[in-house]
Amino acid sequence: MTADPVPLRQRAEGPHPTSGSAHPGSGGEHPDGARSIRKADRARQVADVLRQQIHSGRCPDPLPAETELAAEFAVSRNAVREALALLRDEGLIGRVPRVGTYVAQRKYDHDLDSLRGLKETLRGHGEVRNEVRAAVRLVPPPAVANRLGLEPGESAVYLERLRYLGDLPLSLDHTYLAPDIGAQVLDCDLRSEDIFALIERISGQSLGSADLAVEAIPADVHSAATLQTPEGSALLLLERLTHLADGRPVDLEYIRMRGDRITLRNSLIRTTEGNDWRLSRHGVGQSAG
């Protein structure tokens, strides 16, 4: 897992990097030639730290006063106000007159270091349920058939599910399954069970690995309405091809997750191969399903 975020009230020793003090007569530059940090950049730096504190549950609620935050981050009150405005625009905080600034919502961690279903991933946060919007046999596009190792014209099973945590819509999943497994999945309770658990029960095998790609996309009109989020808001699109333990691909998914309610997490390790330093991803290609 990732290292714990820096506590909100932990002060750095020595000059703060956002102090922006310049060498006299340097024309706004530091002695090493680096330019002073602009106010807007300072505001983003404060917002980044506060955002992580909110998501990790380590931020006081209500938040400290602007004067206290300005002192802790060694920035002006204007920079603090801009940082808080950014977080309000993201829907993370709100403000009540004479009460203060409070945490409006937090995110849920979606770990990428193990191959687990969404119910397993969010266990302890509430009930995960599925609204099944489509469950049919069809001939998939050639690119999908190729990923699943199907012959041209061979059918697959297609599922579309809107996945909720309690009453909160979190993800819209489009799933293509290998025909032999998918045919039996259609007879199962798709409203409450994870696809991963069904695949393992039907196949008699454990899942082995998954190839995963993640990118940020804006919510289109349909996705926004379905996920109850503003059109154009940030979504995380996961493309994942999952294999059985014997290496056979059986499940290709395109998953749209709400970027305002989900944080993807993993731990990275650095390894050496001779003199070649590389970043090695721990648990690469594995995610909740």
Side-chain angles (χ1 to χ4, degrees), residues 6-8 16-19 37-54 59 63-66 68-87 90 92-93:
V6 177
L8 177 62
H16 195 280
T18 60
S19 61
I37 300 175
R38 296 176 299 178
K39 182 177 68 173
D41 294 326
R42 292 175 184 152
R44 283 191 290 269
Q45 290 172 342
V46 173
D48 288 346
V49 174
L50 289 176
R51 185 185 298 106
Q52 182 56 37
Q53 298 304 302
I54 290 171
C59 185
L63 275 68
E66 291 179 359
E68 187 176 349
L69 289 173
E72 291 181 357
F73 286 96
V75 297
S76 68
R77 287 188 63 180
N78 284 339
V80 168
R81 290 192 188 103
E82 289 187 19
L84 296 179
L86 291 173
L87 299 179
E90 295 174 21
L92 294 180
I93 62 174

Side-chain angles (χ1 to χ4, degrees), residues 23-120:
H23 189 272
S26 63
E29 295 188 356
H30 291 282
D32 61 0
R35 291 189 177 276
S36 301
I37 300 175
R38 296 176 299 178
K39 182 177 68 173
D41 294 326
R42 292 175 184 152
R44 283 191 290 269
Q45 290 172 342
V46 173
D48 288 346
V49 174
L50 289 176
R51 185 185 298 106
Q52 182 56 37
Q53 298 304 302
I54 290 171
H55 295 333
S56 64
R58 292 181 171 87
C59 185
D61 191 9
L63 275 68
E66 291 179 359
T67 53
E68 187 176 349
L69 289 173
E72 291 181 357
F73 286 96
V75 297
S76 68
R77 287 188 63 180
N78 284 339
V80 168
R81 290 192 188 103
E82 289 187 19
L84 296 179
L86 291 173
L87 299 179
R88 280 196 299 272
D89 290 344
E90 295 174 21
L92 294 180
I93 62 174
R95 184 171 179 82
V96 176
R98 295 186 296 276
V99 173
T101 303
Y102 63 92
V103 175
Q105 68 179 24
R106 302 183 190 276
K107 286 191 176 184
Y108 299 98
D109 284 349
H110 184 294
D111 293 334
L112 298 180
D113 57 0
S114 61
L115 194 54
R116 295 180 294 174
L118 192 64
K119 288 184 67 173
E120 296 172 299

Side-chain angles (χ1 to χ4, degrees), residues 4-217:
D4 288 340
V6 177
L8 177 62
R9 300 180 182 279
Q10 178 176 320
R11 297 175 183 272
E13 295 182 1
H16 195 280
T18 60
S19 61
S21 58
H23 189 272
S26 63
E29 295 188 356
H30 291 282
D32 61 0
R35 291 189 177 276
S36 301
I37 300 175
R38 296 176 299 178
K39 182 177 68 173
D41 294 326
R42 292 175 184 152
R44 283 191 290 269
Q45 290 172 342
V46 173
D48 288 346
V49 174
L50 289 176
R51 185 185 298 106
Q52 182 56 37
Q53 298 304 302
I54 290 171
H55 295 333
S56 64
R58 292 181 171 87
C59 185
D61 191 9
L63 275 68
E66 291 179 359
T67 53
E68 187 176 349
L69 289 173
E72 291 181 357
F73 286 96
V75 297
S76 68
R77 287 188 63 180
N78 284 339
V80 168
R81 290 192 188 103
E82 289 187 19
L84 296 179
L86 291 173
L87 299 179
R88 280 196 299 272
D89 290 344
E90 295 174 21
L92 294 180
I93 62 174
R95 184 171 179 82
V96 176
R98 295 186 296 276
V99 173
T101 303
Y102 63 92
V103 175
Q105 68 179 24
R106 302 183 190 276
K107 286 191 176 184
Y108 299 98
D109 284 349
H110 184 294
D111 293 334
L112 298 180
D113 57 0
S114 61
L115 194 54
R116 295 180 294 174
L118 192 64
K119 288 184 67 173
E120 296 172 299
T121 299
L122 297 180
R123 181 175 290 134
H125 291 291
E127 177 191 6
V128 173
R129 60 183 178 87
N130 309 315
E131 176 187 321
V132 182
R133 302 168 64 87
V136 297
R137 294 179 177 86
L138 50 70
V139 176
V144 171
N146 183 61
R147 299 288 300 279
L148 288 173
L150 304 180
E151 297 294 331
E154 188 176 2
S155 66
V157 168
Y158 172 77
L159 306 175
E160 180 179 327
R161 298 171 298 155
L162 178 59
R163 313 200 69 183
Y164 290 85
L165 178 62
D167 294 326
L168 176 69
L170 282 182
S171 72
L172 180 61
D173 299 8
H174 296 217
T175 304
Y176 296 89
L177 296 171
D180 56 330
I181 292 175
Q184 296 184 63
V185 165
L186 290 176
D187 295 327
C188 298
D189 182 7
L190 297 174
R191 294 173 299 176
S192 61
E193 296 201 62
D194 278 333
I195 294 298
F196 283 173
L198 294 176
I199 291 175
E200 290 184 323
R201 187 160 73 235
I202 291 169
S203 68
Q205 290 190 53
S206 297
L207 294 173
S209 63
D211 303 318
L212 177 70
V214 182
E215 60 181 305
I217 62 170

